[in-house]
Amino acid sequence: MLLFLSVPQPRPPGARTRAGAARLVRWRRRQRLRLRQLQLRRLRGLLRGLRRRPGTGGRRPNRMALCGQAAGAASLPSELIVHIFSFLPAPDRLRASASCSHWRECLFYPALWPQLRICLRVSPAEQPRLEFLMRKCGWFVRELRVEFAAENYLSGGGGPGDGGSSGGGTDTGTGGEDGEALQLSSRWLEVLRIYLELVLCVLLSIRNNRNLQKFSLFGDISVVHQQGSLSSTYLSRVDPDGKKIKQIQQLFEEILSNSRQLKWLSCGFMLEIVTPTSLSSLSDPIANTMEHLSLLDNNIPGNSTLITAVELERFVNLRSLALDFCDFTAEMARVLTDSNHVPLQRLSLLVHNASVMLKSLDNMPNDEHWKALSRKSSSLRVYLMVFDVKSEDMLKILKPSIPLERVHFDSYVTCVSGAIVDLISRQYDKFLTHFILMNDMIDTSGFPDLSDNRNEDPLVLLAWRCTKLTLLAIHGYTVWAHNLIAIARLRGSDLKVLQVTEESIDFDQGELADQDVDPVQNLIEQVSLGLGQSWHAVLDIESLSVFTEPNRHFYREMQSFSEDI
């Protein structure tokens, strides 16, 4: 006879009853608590061991032993390493990840990289780094900001593609100027080729990212020439059949169509990436919840616009908007004042001479439209970036009811007149906080004088009338020393930033004739006394990004301006 004996197996306390299930849950909680306490004891022991060094007088100086086992950095749980990494800035995380393979695996946990901000030089060395970073983070990052910039592309050496070009004109037998032009051309072809590869890398890595909430692209690599932008000419040589550009445009639309949480979309000066049909890829639920939209591109041909008033009707939750001024029509202003739209609070407009020449100003909002926008939102503020626009066009653009808070003039051909500065100080004295006046026009006769044939200097009147003025930057216009002292005294400590280049400052003959006083030192002392802080003129204009990189400066200021709601 065979006897089968049932041997009871050990199991957690409890039975198949409600009371037994509750005991089972409590038992599991105790087990997890014991495990967490054990991990914490190991971490404390590890930190104690790291603090001890031979000869410090502590007991067991060279020993890190917990529970009879050696505890090293590699034995820490992944969750604990990720938690420690979360307190470190990004560069320190990267250095710490080099300790061991286990720490390196913990480096790219999604919780550590909710946002990614990348500033790239368009050079071959950046491509493998970008590919590695985007492969690791592109599929989960929630906020992505990428800036592309070509460095030294107009300099005689060190520009992108120098190493790959073969002798820039030495084999052609041409003259020096032709050889230099050929070398510049070859460098720019290389810049655009790498640029397209980097953009493709970014877009391919996030095409299936459904967690993306903020997406911002900036790519100011346009070549400014006497005849305008040459980027499109070089682009046709790099991508003659247009396959890469078409692939980039399709990827951009695919990202928009796949997005499920996108709240912020910003694209500035990217070559032919955004098309007039790109926004149609956004689903209605995403368009209805979008809070910021920025579409800035000087390379759109003819009368094409990146967004129409009909398309704007879907963006009912828009709080900040950035567009080309010629694209912001009276019909758009009417749409933004509809009752189903939330009040718009920030509006950034790019006024470019190329757009003004190609597009008409007849459709721009009139003063009544601006009044309606201000009634809809009392907190609406406007930021104007003006490139080489004639004074007669500016007189049409500057409507009295615009709540203008910031204005930036940048000139290469057309200078700003004193009448325009005077008009701004009279119409926008309640709102204006930032005023930037830049001129890079080469003129052997000297810088233009805004106070010429006037009783009062327009800049002094600006400082007197605009009581909220906090930033004033000037280059390429004559600023008399006594007027600069008057500006500092009028605004005092409320004027946080006063940047004037040394070459823009001029002195009266009486000041120069006084042998007892150093006019430069006296100016520094008087302006510093008026501002209540140490002040010096800007000696190196290259240190001012607002002068050397006006597009990038405007784009970054526009971002912070839109976020400051």
Side-chain angles (χ1 to χ4, degrees):
M1 178 183 294
L2 298 175
L3 294 178
F4 295 92
L5 300 178
S6 177
V7 179
Q9 299 295 325
R11 61 178 180 178
R16 298 178 183 177
T17 62
R18 291 185 178 179
R23 286 194 297 273
L24 180 59
V25 170
R26 290 194 295 270
W27 178 77
R28 287 176 176 171
R29 287 177 180 172
R30 287 195 298 270
Q31 291 296 104
R32 286 196 296 267
L33 181 60
R34 289 170 184 167
L35 179 60
R36 183 63 58 87
Q37 290 173 344
L38 178 61
Q39 291 173 346
L40 289 176
R41 284 199 300 270
R42 288 182 176 179
L43 177 61
R44 293 191 189 102
L46 174 63
L47 294 177
R48 282 197 301 270
L50 291 174
R51 284 196 298 265
R52 289 172 180 168
R53 294 292 184 270
T56 58
R59 293 181 300 170
R60 293 178 289 181
N62 293 323
R63 185 181 176 189
M64 288 191 299
L66 296 172
C67 302
Q69 298 179 354
S75 65
L76 292 176
S78 299
E79 292 80 3
L80 208 53
I81 298 174
V82 171
H83 184 66
I84 295 172
F85 278 1
S86 66
F87 295 97
L88 300 177
D92 291 342
R93 290 181 203 165
L94 294 173
R95 283 191 286 268
S97 67
S99 302
C100 61
S101 59
H102 182 44
W103 283 35
R104 192 156 50 248
E105 292 172 359
C106 299
L107 176 63
F108 290 104
Y109 269 51
L112 294 175
W113 304 94
Q115 62 181 13
L116 199 58
R117 301 187 180 186
I118 309 171
C119 185
L120 290 170
R121 293 178 295 106
V122 181
S123 68
E126 297 286 2
Q127 191 165 352
R129 304 170 188 169
L130 180 65
E131 289 176 352
F132 172 79
L133 189 61
M134 297 308 300
R135 185 173 64 252
K136 292 290 187 179
C137 302
W139 60 276
F140 63 75
V141 66
R142 294 180 178 273
E143 178 182 345
L144 178 62
R145 295 188 180 185
V146 185
E147 293 184 4
F148 301 93
E151 291 187 353
N152 299 326
Y153 54 81
L154 293 179
S155 61
D162 280 352
S165 61
S166 57
T170 56
D171 298 333
T172 61
T174 59
E177 293 183 359
D178 293 339
E180 184 179 353
L182 182 60
Q183 187 179 11
L184 176 63
S185 174
S186 62
R187 286 204 303 269
W188 256 102
L189 290 176
E190 179 69 8
V191 164
L192 287 180
R193 185 191 66 77
I194 299 170
Y195 165 77
L196 294 179
E197 294 294 334
L198 295 178
V199 174
L200 276 172
C201 174
V202 172
L203 298 183
L204 283 170
S205 66
I206 62 171
R207 64 191 302 181
N208 296 317
N209 185 344
R210 295 176 181 266
N211 297 320
L212 195 62
Q213 297 178 3
K214 286 188 175 184
F215 184 35
S216 175
L217 286 175
F218 171 82
D220 182 23
I221 63 168
S222 298
V223 186
V224 180
H225 200 260
Q226 292 179 356
Q227 286 77 25
S229 175
L230 300 180
S231 298
S232 57
T233 304
Y234 288 109
L235 195 59
S236 62
R237 294 169 62 183
V238 173
D239 187 27
D241 52 2
K243 287 185 178 180
K244 284 189 176 180
I245 286 294
K246 188 174 295 183
Q247 183 184 3
I248 288 173
Q249 292 172 352
Q250 291 174 350
L251 281 171
F252 185 77
E253 294 179 1
E254 185 178 349
I255 292 168
L256 297 186
S257 62
N258 289 337
S259 63
R260 294 295 180 268
Q261 302 181 41
L262 195 62
K263 304 288 185 184
W264 181 291
L265 178 62
S266 182
C267 191
F269 310 105
M270 300 292 292
L271 290 179
E272 300 185 22
I273 287 184
V274 185
T275 66
T277 60
S278 296
L279 290 182
S280 60
S281 303
L282 281 171
S283 63
D284 287 338
I286 297 301
N288 292 340
T289 57
M290 189 81 72
E291 296 178 357
H292 171 83
L293 180 63
S294 171
L295 299 174
L296 302 168
D297 193 349
N298 293 330
N299 295 280
I300 298 300
N303 293 323
S304 301
T305 58
L306 296 178
I307 184 171
T308 62
V310 175
E311 186 71 36
L312 189 62
E313 291 179 353
R314 296 199 300 156
F315 296 84
V316 295
N317 202 44
L318 212 58
R319 288 172 169 79
S320 59
L321 177 65
L323 293 175
D324 188 287
F325 181 85
C326 294
D327 293 344
F328 186 70
T329 61
E331 184 62 21
M332 282 190 177
R334 185 199 61 78
V335 168
L336 292 172
T337 56
D338 286 345
S339 58
N340 62 328
H341 277 255
V342 301
L344 188 71
Q345 300 187 44
R346 295 291 183 270
L347 178 60
S348 302
L349 298 172
L350 174 65
V351 191
H352 200 287
N353 183 44
S355 297
V356 173
M357 289 191 300
L358 293 174
K359 303 175 183 179
S360 174
L361 291 176
D362 297 337
N363 297 324
M364 67 179 179
N366 58 32
D367 200 50
E368 293 301 320
H369 291 114
W370 286 109
K371 288 180 180 178
L373 282 170
S374 298
R375 284 195 299 268
K376 173 76 174 181
S377 173
S378 59
S379 59
L380 174 64
R381 297 294 180 267
V382 177
Y383 182 6
L384 279 183
M385 175 70 193
V386 185
F387 281 103
D388 263 332
V389 179
K390 298 177 181 178
S391 296
E392 52 266 30
D393 291 327
M394 286 305 303
L395 292 174
K396 299 177 185 177
I397 291 170
L398 294 172
K399 304 299 182 185
S401 298
I402 299 178
L404 185 62
E405 183 179 283
R406 304 184 183 195
V407 61
H408 179 174
F409 288 99
D410 197 278
S411 304
Y412 295 91
V413 179
T414 305
C415 291
V416 177
S417 65
I420 295 299
V421 178
D422 185 64
L423 179 66
I424 290 173
S425 67
R426 284 187 285 106
Q427 291 188 164
Y428 312 117
D429 56 312
K430 296 180 180 178
F431 303 103
L432 194 68
T433 62
H434 291 58
F435 188 81
I436 299 174
L437 199 58
M438 294 288 160
N439 172 34
D440 193 28
M441 188 172 65
I442 300 175
D443 189 352
T444 55
S445 61
F447 292 147
D449 185 2
L450 297 177
S451 62
D452 194 22
N453 298 323
R454 290 175 174 271
N455 293 329
E456 297 291 342
D457 185 86
L459 294 173
V460 176
L461 291 176
L462 181 84
W464 175 53
R465 291 168 177 160
C466 302
T467 57
K468 294 184 178 180
L469 191 67
T470 60
L471 184 147
L472 180 61
I474 304 170
H475 168 71
Y477 293 86
T478 299
V479 182
W480 295 99
H482 61 272
N483 289 332
L484 193 57
I485 295 173
I487 291 171
R489 290 175 178 175
L490 283 169
R491 291 276 50 87
S493 59
D494 293 334
L495 188 59
K496 305 300 182 184
V497 178
L498 177 60
Q499 293 178 329
V500 183
T501 55
E502 185 185 36
E503 54 191 313
S504 302
I505 301 174
D506 204 349
F507 296 88
D508 290 332
Q509 291 299 324
E511 295 174 316
L512 295 175
D514 190 352
Q515 300 295 329
D516 297 331
V517 179
D518 182 358
V520 176
Q521 187 61 33
N522 180 65
L523 173 67
I524 293 174
E525 292 176 357
Q526 292 299 322
V527 174
S528 300
L529 184 63
L531 296 177
Q533 59 178 330
S534 178
W535 178 88
H536 291 276
V538 178
L539 301 179
D540 183 13
I541 188 62
E542 298 299 324
S543 64
L544 283 180
S545 64
V546 65
F547 176 77
T548 57
E549 299 176 298
N551 281 354
R552 182 189 295 271
H553 176 84
F554 167 64
Y555 189 77
R556 289 180 175 177
E557 287 294 307
M558 179 272 296
Q559 297 273 78
S560 61
F561 176 68
S562 300
E563 290 173 340
D564 184 24
I565 297 178

